[in-house]
Amino acid sequence: MTEFEKRCWAEISPDNLLHNYRTLRRALPEGCRFLGVVKADAYGHGAVQTAGILEKAGADYLAVACLDEALGLRAEGIEMPILILGHTATAYTGALIEHGITQAVAGLAEAERFSAVAQALGRTLRVHMAVDTGMSRLGFLCTGADFETGVTELVRACRLPGLEVEGVFTHFAVSDEEGEENERYTREQYRCFLAVIEAAGTQGIRFPIRHCMNTGALLHYPEFALDMARPGLLLYGYGDEAGKLGLRPCMRVMTRIHTIKHYAPGTTISYGRRFTTARETRMGVLGIGYADGLPRLCSDKCSFAVAGGMAPQRGRICMDMCMVDLTDLPGAERGDEVEIFGPRADLNALSRAAQTIPYELLCAVSKRVPRELKNF
Ligand SMILES: *Cc1c(COP(=O)(O)O)cnc(C)c1O
């Protein structure tokens, strides 16, 4: 091969997504609904394609972060229920109702604003109430001394006209982290969530869909399923424990060896001259850099999969390129494909090198990287 059409690209496997969906679904109790979290362009995988596959496969719900993401799905013909997890300005109540989008409601004042606008329109907005059981982010604060006030406000919000309260949910802070204290905290969050639901129940409030199960809970607290599971990362087959469940990565980021050069020992490589060859070195130049989402922090700390094995990355990662040592991989040639992460090159290892989590690296794959549906 002499000409390369693409510098780098991301392959998205519909088969692996379907496999993961079915595998997770099978692990859930009978009757438990499945919500696929497709915020942030489905963790970089492409929200429209992902939603289309989940809708066809029979998933019950989708979740996004904001109105734009929800409208983007509706515009592409996605008809299944969509929950917006984050804030939406009440000025858009009409758009939410018009497009059949469910809104998370995080407090009494917000509920009153949605209620007022919905009533003025003579319509009803479907909502899920967010309960803060210890994440300390959005939601009716119901921890510790705030329990009574939290429940009182939640119940008042649920009784407002113009709102159809379809669900209630909470979010865990450390369900994905090991250790006794993390387990204690997570179980306390769950206990608090159930206590809130029960206290509201004694005042006649029923929530048809109670949900709290993110990736961490799905892995470590299968008994928390309630009426719906809500995984993101696991659905895409990533995270330290995805392999244990037989899940498969749905994205692999690819590039090619654009050039191979030979350097004498003592040659410095890339910006900053931070890497010096210790031997005769056969160095490949790859068409991917930090503008594509490969963190510069990984410089000299990661390796990528080429024909014959893993090639260590050398020298500072540039905006559009980076270098790999191919000396020990004589089979690797100019034009060959290189996997940056995917089934062969571990995203968890790359995340650790970047001092972050796989979530961030998936979201970081930039717009410049074309997505292709392709089973691998
Ligand atoms: C992002 C998000 C999820 C999904 O989290 P994962 O760890 O990817 O499973 C679930 N619930 C809420 C509220 C979220 O914001």
Side-chain angles (χ1 to χ4, degrees):
M1 175 174 295
T2 51
E3 285 300 329
F4 322 129
E5 285 177 23
K6 295 163 296 207
R7 298 169 49 249
C8 59
W9 66 98
E11 295 172 0
I12 312 295
S13 164
D15 282 1
N16 288 0
L17 183 70
L18 208 53
H19 167 84
N20 292 350
Y21 165 72
R22 290 189 178 133
T23 305
L24 291 172
R25 184 110 222 189
R26 246 183 278 122
L28 296 174
E30 195 59 33
C32 180
R33 294 173 183 81
F34 188 100
L35 176 152
V37 179
V38 296
K39 64 193 181 191
D41 205 22
Y43 293 41
H45 292 68
V48 172
Q49 281 96 336
T50 302
I53 290 165
L54 292 176
E55 183 165 51
K56 223 169 111 201
D60 302 284
Y61 237 108
L62 299 171
V64 295
C66 58
L67 181 62
D68 275 354
E69 290 184 342
L71 292 179
L73 293 175
R74 286 283 183 260
E76 294 297 327
I78 302 298
E79 291 175 354
M80 63 192 289
I82 301 175
L83 170 64
I84 297 180
L85 296 166
H87 175 77
T88 301
T90 35
Y92 295 106
T93 308
L96 289 169
I97 296 168
E98 210 52 58
H99 292 93
I101 297 164
T102 310
Q103 175 62 47
V105 172
L108 180 56
E110 189 183 53
E112 286 169 343
R113 290 197 300 271
F114 279 124
S115 164
V117 183
Q119 270 188 290
L121 295 168
R123 306 284 298 272
T124 301
L125 174 66
R126 192 180 310 121
V127 299
H128 286 205
M129 296 299 182
V131 178
D132 183 352
T133 58
M135 174 68 181
S136 308
R137 198 173 66 179
L138 292 182
F140 292 80
L141 183 58
C142 292
T143 48
D146 291 304
F147 183 81
E148 296 297 333
T149 322
V151 171
T152 303
E153 296 194 354
L154 175 65
V155 168
R156 277 175 59 193
C158 289
R159 290 186 175 142
L160 290 169
L163 302 183
E164 177 208 337
V165 183
E166 181 193 55
V168 65
F169 71 103
T170 195
H171 195 46
F172 296 116
V174 285
S175 60
D176 57 343
E177 291 183 45
E178 285 177 13
E180 241 171 72
E181 170 56 16
N182 292 328
E183 180 175 345
R184 187 202 60 77
Y185 196 85
T186 306
R187 292 197 181 281
E188 173 54 25
Q189 279 200 264
Y190 186 66
R191 189 208 58 77
C192 176
F193 185 47
L194 293 187
V196 169
I197 292 167
E198 198 193 323
T202 62
Q203 301 183 57
I205 305 295
R206 295 275 174 279
F207 301 101
I209 309 180
R210 305 159 299 162
H211 52 108
C212 63
M213 189 178 253
N214 61 352
T215 284
L218 213 152
L219 283 167
H220 304 126
Y221 308 92
E223 67 274 25
F224 291 3
L226 296 174
D227 305 307
M228 184 159 76
R230 213 174 65 215
L233 192 70
L234 263 194
L235 181 57
Y236 305 105
Y238 277 110
D240 274 329
E241 293 168 274
K244 249 181 21 195
L245 295 184
L247 304 174
R248 302 171 186 156
C250 295
M251 183 195 299
R252 64 173 190 165
V253 171
M254 306 294 291
T255 183
R256 287 185 196 278
I257 303 172
H258 284 200
T259 302
I260 296 180
K261 312 250 299 284
H262 294 81
Y263 299 113
T267 307
T268 61
I269 305 298
S270 193
Y271 288 122
R273 305 184 62 203
R274 296 213 318 175
F275 182 84
T276 305
T277 56
R279 56 176 178 176
E280 289 279 344
T281 300
R282 187 169 171 261
M283 197 73 86
V285 181
L286 308 184
I288 190 166
Y290 60 76
D292 303 297
L294 179 62
R296 187 168 173 276
L297 209 53
C298 297
S299 298
D300 284 313
K301 294 195 184 82
C302 56
S303 16
F304 308 131
V306 303
M310 299 297 288
Q313 192 278 320
R314 296 301 186 213
R316 284 238 167 95
I317 293 169
C318 310
M319 187 183 286
D320 319 302
M321 287 176 255
C322 66
M323 276 64 92
V324 286
D325 188 341
L326 300 173
T327 316
D328 298 327
L329 298 157
E333 290 180 36
R334 178 172 178 271
D336 282 1
E337 292 189 352
V338 180
E339 183 183 298
I340 302 301
F341 67 78
R344 292 181 61 210
D346 182 23
L347 176 62
N348 296 313
L350 192 66
S351 307
R352 283 190 289 272
Q355 295 170 36
T356 185
I357 50 176
Y359 296 78
E360 190 177 349
L361 293 196
L362 289 171
C363 295
V365 176
S366 76
K367 256 195 332 217
R368 191 166 79 173
V369 181
R371 270 64 165 178
E372 298 178 358
L373 291 183
K374 179 179 172 189
N375 291 312
F376 50 80

